[in-house]
Amino acid sequence: MSDRQTVTDDAPQEARPAYRQTPTRRALAFLRNTWRKLTSMRTALVLLFLLALAALPGALLPQWDLNAQQTEEYIAENGWWGRLLDRLQFFDVYSSVWFSAIYLLLMVSLVGCLVPRTGDYIRAMRSGPVLTPKNLARLPHHTRAEVDDDPDAVIASVRRRLRGWRVTERTEAGGARTISAERGYLRETGNLVFHFGILGIIVAFAIGAMYSYEGQVIVHADGQEFCNSGIFAYDSFNPGLQVDGTELNPFCVRVDDFEPTYTDAGQPVNYAADIRYQSGEDLASGTWRDYRLEVNAPLRTAGDRVYLLGHGYAPTFTVTWPNGESRTQTIQWRPTDLNTMLSQGATKFDPPGVTDSRTRRENQLAVTGLFAPTAAFHGNILTSSFPDLTEPAVAVDIMRGELGIDAGRSQSIFEIDQSMVDSGRLERVARENLEIGESITLDDGTQISFDGVRRWVSLQVSHDPTQGWMLGFAIAMFVGLGASLSVKRRRFWARVTPLADSTGGGTSDVRRAVVELGGLARTDQAGYGEEFTAISRDLLGRTPQD
Amino acid sequence: MPVNETLSQYSDWSYTTSVVVYLLAMIFFLVEQSFGKHGKRVAERTRERQLVGAGAGSGSDVGTVEVAKDVPPSTGRAPRTRTERLGRMGVALTILAAALHLAALVLRGLATSRVPWGNMYEYIAAITFIGVVTWLVLLRKYPLRHLSAFVLLPVVILMFVGGTMLYAVAAPLQPALQSYWLVIHVAAAAASSGVFLIPGAASILYLIRSAHDRDPVKFGRFGPKLPSADILDKVAYRTTVFAFPVFTFGILCGAVWAEAAWGRFWGWDPKETVAFVSWVIYAAYLHSRATAGWRGTRAAVINIVGFAATVFNLFFVNLVSAGLHSYAGVS
Ligand code: HEM
């Protein structure tokens, strides 16, 4: 097949001076030439390079959809250059116009390459081995011998030896009998399967990007429930272009428990969450099924997958106002050091029972600071010495004033709005280290106590309807590749010419013939030599060079 | 699972010794390469054999009837020179070092009760081992022995960097790595990267040799000692064709694992991206050999770029960029 490709590449465009160049014709010629160029092997090569080159910035530069915060910082640090790169979609490589263009061109080139090759392939399969060349001595493998045998018998023995080859027998004008044989068609089959597999992967990947979604949610590991009922149920959600979030597969998950295990040095050994879930008919009947969710072992249900991505701690604080009213909240804090699970967060409180919205807004409270699952103090500074929950403590600032949560802007649940602090509307009124059971009393008599800790897990729900297809195409591609790289396509010819007896007897009972054998490996030459030698030896009863 | 400190200690000793023995072997090969007439003679012999055209692959190749008689009677029957003996000792030392190298890997695995490719140090040890074994296998088929130093050099450098800067104490795996996919995916990745070392080196030598062929002034002393460009091209092609499907398999397994561990089979994580890039480059290499005007020098350059991408993936992506693959065990 490569022969054909090569020829196309080398062939000069046929000159057709006899035709008058009408615009239509010129346009047609242009289209035809463009198509030819686009589907030539050389273009495929160049496109492959471009694809490799275009993919690279994605590994070197931060990407919006992988790490938005880092990307933002990078742009800020690099000024106009960063902004230019952003405008040129260098932080969004895989959905950029230029990446998609290369991808699309490669796909077109692939189709343009595959269609004619499939045609050639079918024709070649139908037509059988090619004619025996006139001069077998010019082939890379060749041998010649005179035998005392009847040509028919020689032909029959060649046929017998070439079992498993495709064989065509012909009689030439001069009376010589020939056999053309070919083997290794599987190589071309494999090559086609491989390239069609790639095409399938490209198409499935594009479809997948449109119809898949991914959502993350934090669930407390104390029986809290999460249902895949809409985008609002998630903390963050990345839909494909065709996903509007209205028709998610319904299922619910309840996290009962989360147990990490660590070595004595604090290296994690295992994470596992005991969950219950319901989907399909279970939703109606209210049945819950148990599952042990672990890293590397997602829950697969209702066509979606649920993953255990991370975990952390949620300290419980109770605020008791001077009027006796109290509120208790358990809000997840975010681990800032995954080795020690030192965490950071902000638990925000509204004063209860205040009707005047302005007064209420100006007397909000936030408990913010650090949480350590195993407290270690350096002087007064809290750090954590072990990731598991053994001696929890917090180091907190109590902020009072206006939190800015009513301003309509969304706010991180892990932080307070620094601009409120800067503008003086939110003030620190206390700073303290607390262990479980301890509390702080503010100047106005408000009491804040640290009551305990819960664990939380972060779950990811993934949906991708093309996954199965993808796997199928990938396997096809791989099997095709194996066949196309390991099978050797080779040809073998035999020409048996009856010898007129020159010694004078002239009778036909002297059975003599010249046998010429020739061989050609259509692909990689190496290795065919031995096989050819073996066949020759079997047929002529000796090694070729005797 | 507790770590067996004694075994881990033996593993480290084994590793260090093997680096030293590789170095020694390298010196032997260098002597053979620089002072021996051997290289030159082998190069000439292979050129003659090239004329034969037929599958010059194995040493025992017979070729076709007509030309076979031009081939000198046999290889290596001539009295052995001292340099040639050095080369043979080099091979013996390389085999010894490879055995120590293997022992280091096996002991690590036993010490930690898991596969010994769970962090970057171990991974590099595995890759270099595969590279050496591939080379030893090739030596049986091709007259390349006097070039062994060019393969051992990157091996020793990699092992030195691995053993000093990237060394990690034997420890159990973190949860994300506890999967049988680690065995399959990383083994395939390490095996293919290790084998890719050979075509990378062969392609560099190919460029030197073909530059010399075009203009004998270039590399006037070194060029003639190399095997013919054809042999080098063949070695590069054969090894690439072997490693490429293994690499493909490794990437596919990686995708299947990523689906189970990270929630998607492909997410353009830096490691994934660079693996994709090297895969495409090697695919381009295979294409280039079927494209008029791209065989030979250009193909060799592409192969070298492919190996550069592989090494880049190993070092840069593990050490500099922060992706999901940052399990390197280095901090
Ligand atoms: C996504 C793009 C492509 C990839 C990743 C790819 C990959 C590959 C690989 C790995 C091989 C080696 C298998 C073998 O040698 O039998 C190969 C062979 C081949 N490819 Fe592609 N290919 C792509 C696109 C194309 C296109 C667009 C064409 C047509 C112009 C093409 C034509 C060929 C041909 C003719 C061979 C056989 C070469 C030979 O016989 O040695 N490929 N391709």
Side-chain angles (χ1 to χ4, degrees), chain A residues 39 44 106 109-110 113 117 191 194-195 198 484, chain B residues 244 279 287:
Chain A
T39 56
L106 197 60
S109 165
L110 198 54
C113 185
R117 281 180 71 196
N191 198 306
F194 169 77
H195 283 87
I198 296 232
S484 102
Chain B
F244 186 72
W279 191 83
H287 276 127

Side-chain angles (χ1 to χ4, degrees), chain A residues 39-313:
Chain A
T39 56
S40 81
M41 195 78 170
R42 194 164 303 169
T43 310
L45 246 182
V46 171
L47 286 174
L48 280 175
F49 277 122
L50 283 178
L51 186 71
L53 198 65
L56 209 51
L60 305 180
L61 296 171
Q63 298 289 299
W64 281 118
D65 56 348
L66 291 184
N67 196 335
Q69 194 190 337
Q70 213 183 340
T71 313
E72 212 162 318
E73 284 165 14
Y74 186 91
I75 296 176
E77 276 167 27
N78 285 277
W80 68 272
W81 172 238
R83 285 192 299 279
L84 180 68
L85 285 181
D86 191 31
R87 189 117 19 92
L88 296 176
Q89 298 177 300
F90 272 88
F91 304 112
D92 232 339
V93 168
Y94 308 106
S95 44
S96 70
V97 176
W98 36 276
F99 190 79
S100 316
I102 296 171
Y103 181 95
L104 222 72
L105 279 176
L106 197 60
M107 198 174 100
V108 173
S109 165
L110 198 54
V111 172
C113 185
L114 279 174
V115 169
R117 281 180 71 196
T118 312
D120 286 351
Y121 172 75
I122 294 172
R123 238 166 289 131
M125 288 305 253
R126 286 231 190 93
S127 63
V130 297
L131 281 179
T132 307
K134 283 259 145 35
N135 187 356
L136 286 178
R138 285 181 37 194
L139 294 173
H141 306 276
H142 168 250
T143 184
R144 179 194 152 98
E146 290 184 17
V147 294
D148 295 330
D149 221 338
D150 163 37
D152 285 337
V154 177
I155 288 289
S157 74
V158 173
R159 268 190 171 274
R160 228 174 300 123
R161 179 59 182 78
L162 293 179
R163 196 158 289 152
W165 292 60
R166 291 184 116 207
V167 172
T168 309
E169 199 181 317
R170 298 186 181 91
T171 306
E172 290 178 345
R177 310 264 305 267
T178 69
I179 282 200
S180 323
E182 182 155 355
R183 188 163 205 185
Y185 288 85
L186 199 57
R187 182 185 184 98
E188 185 61 10
T189 314
N191 198 306
L192 284 175
V193 169
F194 169 77
H195 283 87
F196 272 110
I198 296 232
L199 189 62
I201 288 179
I202 294 181
V203 173
F205 200 77
I207 296 177
M210 288 205 270
Y211 290 97
S212 58
Y213 63 78
E214 226 175 62
Q216 288 86 22
V217 61
I218 285 179
V219 183
H220 290 192
D222 56 1
Q224 202 186 341
E225 210 173 297
F226 158 80
C227 287
N228 190 36
S229 42
I231 296 179
F232 61 86
Y234 287 97
D235 298 331
S236 65
F237 192 78
N238 315 313
L241 292 172
Q242 298 291 322
V243 176
D244 59 9
T246 50
E247 287 179 357
L248 306 186
N249 296 331
F251 66 87
C252 290
V253 168
R254 178 191 286 175
V255 181
D256 290 330
D257 192 18
F258 173 75
E259 313 155 12
T261 39
Y262 297 94
T263 62
D264 291 341
Q267 196 193 345
V269 173
N270 191 39
Y271 297 130
D274 286 320
I275 63 169
R276 280 180 281 169
Y277 68 99
Q278 50 182 203
S279 63
E281 287 173 6
D282 290 349
L283 283 168
S285 66
T287 319
W288 288 92
R289 289 169 199 280
D290 289 332
Y291 190 78
R292 192 168 169 83
L293 190 64
E294 287 180 276
V295 181
N296 283 316
L299 166 70
R300 295 169 194 273
T301 186
D304 286 9
R305 290 113 54 204
V306 182
Y307 295 87
L308 177 62
L309 279 197
H311 69 108
Y313 297 103

Side-chain angles (χ1 to χ4, degrees), chain B:
Chain B
M1 194 73 65
V3 171
N4 185 326
E5 304 287 345
T6 321
L7 289 182
S8 145
Q9 184 62 58
Y10 285 143
S11 163
D12 291 354
W13 285 335
S14 218
Y15 183 92
T16 315
T17 320
S18 78
V19 176
V20 173
V21 180
Y22 279 135
L23 257 174
L24 202 63
M26 210 168 100
I27 293 168
F28 279 49
F29 288 129
L30 276 176
V31 171
E32 185 195 22
Q33 152 72 28
S34 341
F35 300 115
K37 299 202 177 58
H38 178 75
K40 202 164 169 183
R41 225 184 42 235
V42 166
E44 273 156 16
R45 198 159 57 225
T46 54
R47 206 161 331 133
E48 277 152 13
R49 199 183 299 150
Q50 277 310 291
L51 294 175
V52 175
S58 74
S60 65
D61 191 60
V62 283
T64 52
V65 203
E66 284 81 3
V67 256
K69 35 186 177 308
D70 301 343
V71 181
S74 176
T75 60
R77 292 289 182 280
R80 272 180 213 153
T81 62
R82 188 179 304 154
T83 44
E84 191 164 346
R85 266 205 301 279
L86 280 181
R88 283 173 176 270
M89 282 158 72
V91 174
L93 283 176
T94 310
I95 293 174
L96 171 68
L100 286 165
H101 197 159
L102 178 65
L105 285 169
V106 171
L107 288 171
R108 245 288 152 157
L110 292 176
T112 50
S113 319
R114 59 172 169 79
V115 288
W117 45 77
N119 57 45
M120 209 166 150
Y121 161 73
E122 295 167 358
Y123 186 71
I124 288 179
I127 287 184
T128 44
F129 176 71
I130 299 280
V132 171
V133 169
T134 312
W135 183 249
L136 287 173
V137 169
L138 285 171
L139 284 190
R140 295 169 54 92
K141 279 197 101 184
Y142 299 96
L144 299 167
R145 189 185 67 220
H146 60 293
L147 301 177
S148 301
F150 298 100
V151 172
L152 288 187
L153 181 68
V155 165
V156 167
I157 293 176
L158 282 172
M159 286 183 79
F160 180 77
V161 171
T164 52
M165 292 173 227
L166 303 173
Y167 180 77
V169 265
L173 292 173
Q174 60 180 96
L177 292 184
Q178 291 167 15
S179 161
Y180 53 86
W181 286 110
L182 174 77
V183 182
I184 307 172
H185 163 67
V186 185
S192 55
S193 307
V195 178
F196 277 140
L197 181 87
I198 306 299
S203 295
I204 292 176
L205 296 175
Y206 174 93
L207 289 184
I208 295 176
R209 176 74 212 200
S210 59
H212 172 76
D213 287 348
R214 271 193 303 275
D215 176 3
V217 178
K218 284 190 190 151
F219 304 104
R221 284 167 53 81
F222 182 47
K225 288 182 176 156
L226 294 176
S228 74
D230 253 29
I231 290 253
L232 290 169
D233 176 60
K234 196 167 285 173
V235 167
Y237 177 67
R238 293 281 203 87
T239 39
T240 307
V241 155
F242 173 77
F244 186 72
V246 180
F247 186 40
T248 310
F249 181 69
I251 295 179
L252 294 186
C253 290
V256 173
W257 188 10
E259 194 271 345
W262 298 330
R264 80 290 181 296
F265 60 83
W266 195 266
W268 299 108
D269 178 69
K271 192 109 197 171
E272 291 170 355
T273 304
V274 180
F276 170 79
V277 168
S278 357
W279 191 83
V280 170
I281 293 173
Y282 280 113
Y285 167 78
L286 294 177
H287 276 127
S288 73
R289 292 182 45 98
T291 308
W294 283 77
R295 298 186 193 99
T297 307
R298 288 196 193 178
V301 171
I302 300 174
N303 202 306
I304 294 167
V305 174
F307 186 62
T310 309
V311 173
F312 178 79
N313 206 2
L314 178 58
F315 286 100
F316 180 85
V317 176
N318 276 8
L319 300 178
V320 182
S321 78
L324 290 166
H325 271 92
S326 307
Y327 298 125
V330 282
S331 43

